[in-house]
Amino acid sequence: MGAFVFQRHLHRHEDVNVVMSALGDDPQCLPVLIAWGAALRRDVASALREVIATGAWQGDFRVRSAAANWREKPRFQVFLDHGLERRRNRGPKYEHLSAAVLTFPETRAALYRASAAECPQHCRTETGTFAEDRHVDDYRQALFGWYAAIQHAHACVVKAARWFANAQPPDSRRPEAFTDWMSGTRRRHSSSTARETGPATRRAVQEIILMMHAWSPHTFEAIDVAFQKAEGEDASHAWGGSFEPAGRPEAQAAAEALASVLSPQERQHVRDIIDRIETDDEYRDMDLAKDSTLPCTSDRHRAYGTDPGGREDCATARGRVYEEASRSWSDEGIDHAADAARLARFLLGPRTDRIQTALAAARAAVARDTTEMAPQVWHDNAETLREAREAAGLDLHDAAGHLGIKPATLQRFEQATGKLPGRPASLGYLQLLALTCTQAGRTAPACIPQAISQPVVSLPTTL
């Protein structure tokens, strides 16, 4: 696994290394890295949302191979593991990915929901959408680019701090404060450091701190110790025994470099940012997953003139999936994972797939003798059923597509002309009509037997 396996996804990884190597000891490497890291982190989160939303991960070779080998349904965890590495210096790790999506609640919620519901698709998009595999490529490219960027974070901080401390005031590139250098802000008056830090500066500081934290888990402790020493306090490191030793010298050197160039106000600002990061890192994903008001995670609902209501419907469906997947089971013999996946397919698949899955499940719940009476019920009440279909807003062509018959055939059966329809088509028509009426807030025709309508109406489907 690692970089060797994903050589076709290393273009952005190599771009970062080439640019950082070209800059060398130039202090400009820090603002360049901050801007690049922010863009890569945003791309990782956005591409991962689309991978989950479109179900593009199911086309991954490893996912299909694992599903075929173990005779199981495709699992998202197989896809995620395939792009991550256990060893720090061989490729992206879970810690690197977690830091990348830390401030993107929609992506974190999508990840949690994918795990909780084991759902194959988390967005109401049509199958066969344009270039779904492109989302996988974008995700891997951005992930390896982010991995390359965070490796340079500590070294760039040290280089920039060393230049800032030694640069003479006439240097046109040197601003009043080091944090202004990170964001490219130019404030020339000494009183400006007392002003509230601007949004650009806050974002720049947060990005570099996140990048340092992603590469070395010792960063926060090293900064805390270095800042205390800079303020005249007696402090020492107590490196956590559970942490990997790699990254300690880098974190300590960068923290001491920061402490030497930051003002007391800037040091407090860095502390506040670290506190917010640690608070966000306390795994609030369960609350995010429960939040059914969170808009759909897919960018497709932000483009192409889509109806905003679709995003809210998708969010509500995902919330219901979470409730089903996470509730405790007291009854023995119930397959928790299978039931959650079944409900997820009902709620989150493309519209046609959801309807066909619902009809298939409802058909299995109807007794054989009841199925045999369905053709006669349809024939005897053809006009009433047709009027109900039209009133519920179900198009003739759509209905025929759901039933798997031609529109002309459906039209002939609705006119009660010719021979009786077959039992499967009749049962499907009656159940489709009952489901459509229920979803439209209308009363299903009384001529449909309850034994036929109840199995489909009781399903927790959102069409």
Side-chain angles (χ1 to χ4, degrees), residues 131-150:
E132 285 185 350
D133 58 335
R134 182 65 181 270
H135 296 309
V136 176
D137 289 337
D138 288 346
Y139 163 64
R140 294 257 165 80
Q141 288 281 358
L143 181 62
F144 275 91
W146 166 254
Y147 171 69
I150 61 179

Side-chain angles (χ1 to χ4, degrees), residues 105-145:
E106 287 190 347
T107 302
R108 293 167 61 198
L111 279 169
Y112 190 86
R113 284 166 173 158
S115 176
E118 296 184 3
C119 176
Q121 187 164 344
H122 284 253
C123 176
R124 301 173 131 203
T125 56
E126 296 295 332
T127 56
T129 49
F130 175 74
E132 285 185 350
D133 58 335
R134 182 65 181 270
H135 296 309
V136 176
D137 289 337
D138 288 346
Y139 163 64
R140 294 257 165 80
Q141 288 281 358
L143 181 62
F144 275 91

Side-chain angles (χ1 to χ4, degrees), residues 389-401:
R389 176 184 62 75
E390 294 174 348
L394 180 61
D395 182 73
L396 175 70
H397 289 76
D398 290 341

